[in-house]
Amino acid sequence: MIWPLLLVLLLALAAGGLWVWLIYRSAPPEVKLSGLRPERVTAAAQTLRVKLRVQNPAPLPLPIRAITYRVWLDAYEIANGEGALARWVPARSEAEIELLVSGNAKHLARALPALALKQQPWPYRLTGTLTPLPGLHVNYDHRGKIDARGILKLAASLR
């Protein structure tokens, strides 16, 4: 007797998950870098405070349970990682998320001499995934430009 009810419930959950997946697939969120500044620097690693602006064009609120990220300045990857979150971005709206991002100070120290010769603002790239539901990952990939004055201060502290 309970098996038909359980089957109907399972099918309803699967259909709901498929519907949510289709909505986020057709109107994926956009993630942009809105701020980057050094937080803590040691000889082996740096911690950067990264502000991300998440725009949700979907007609559903976007829960963000986890995030993965990779950050490049020009062609140099300066940080990557993942973290758990408990944030909501309202439907057809945006929210700012602040993360502490760990990177390899040696990678940044190698990139800075080449970047110092380039005209500012420097190009950046931000890629990764947002996880609104367990098992559902929404990719993002954004390119833009950033003023590098804060990064140059970081370079001076590495010497």
Side-chain angles (χ1 to χ4, degrees):
M1 276 264 204
I2 196 161
W3 291 110
L5 181 60
L6 197 57
L7 182 60
V8 168
L9 181 62
L10 186 61
L11 288 173
L13 286 173
L18 179 61
W19 181 71
V20 168
W21 179 81
L22 286 172
I23 286 184
Y24 290 132
R25 185 83 166 152
S26 66
E30 188 171 335
V31 180
K32 295 180 180 178
L33 188 63
S34 63
L36 174 70
R37 71 178 170 93
E39 182 73 16
R40 184 177 59 232
V41 178
T42 67
Q46 81 258 349
T47 302
L48 304 172
R49 186 168 297 276
V50 175
K51 288 184 182 179
L52 304 175
R53 182 165 308 280
V54 180
Q55 296 174 326
N56 178 16
L60 295 175
L62 173 66
I64 303 174
R65 303 291 175 235
I67 187 169
T68 66
Y69 55 85
R70 292 177 76 184
V71 182
W72 287 268
L73 280 178
D74 198 26
Y76 303 96
E77 184 176 332
I78 61 164
N80 63 54
E82 59 188 47
L85 294 172
R87 295 293 308 268
W88 283 82
V89 181
R92 294 189 172 101
S93 188
E94 62 183 42
E96 194 163 82
I97 296 173
E98 192 170 88
L99 301 170
L100 287 177
V101 173
S102 296
N104 186 320
K106 292 177 186 176
H107 289 182
L108 187 57
R110 274 182 259 161
L112 286 171
L115 289 171
L117 299 174
K118 291 191 169 202
Q119 193 172 24
Q120 288 188 41
W122 292 334
Y124 75 86
R125 183 175 180 201
L126 179 65
T127 65
T129 60
L130 299 175
T131 303
L133 299 170
L136 176 61
H137 305 288
V138 180
N139 296 329
Y140 64 89
D141 188 343
H142 180 75
R143 295 168 194 258
K145 296 198 180 267
I146 189 169
D147 183 355
R149 282 180 283 192
I151 304 302
L152 290 175
K153 288 179 188 173
L154 173 61
S157 70
L158 293 175
R159 296 184 180 186

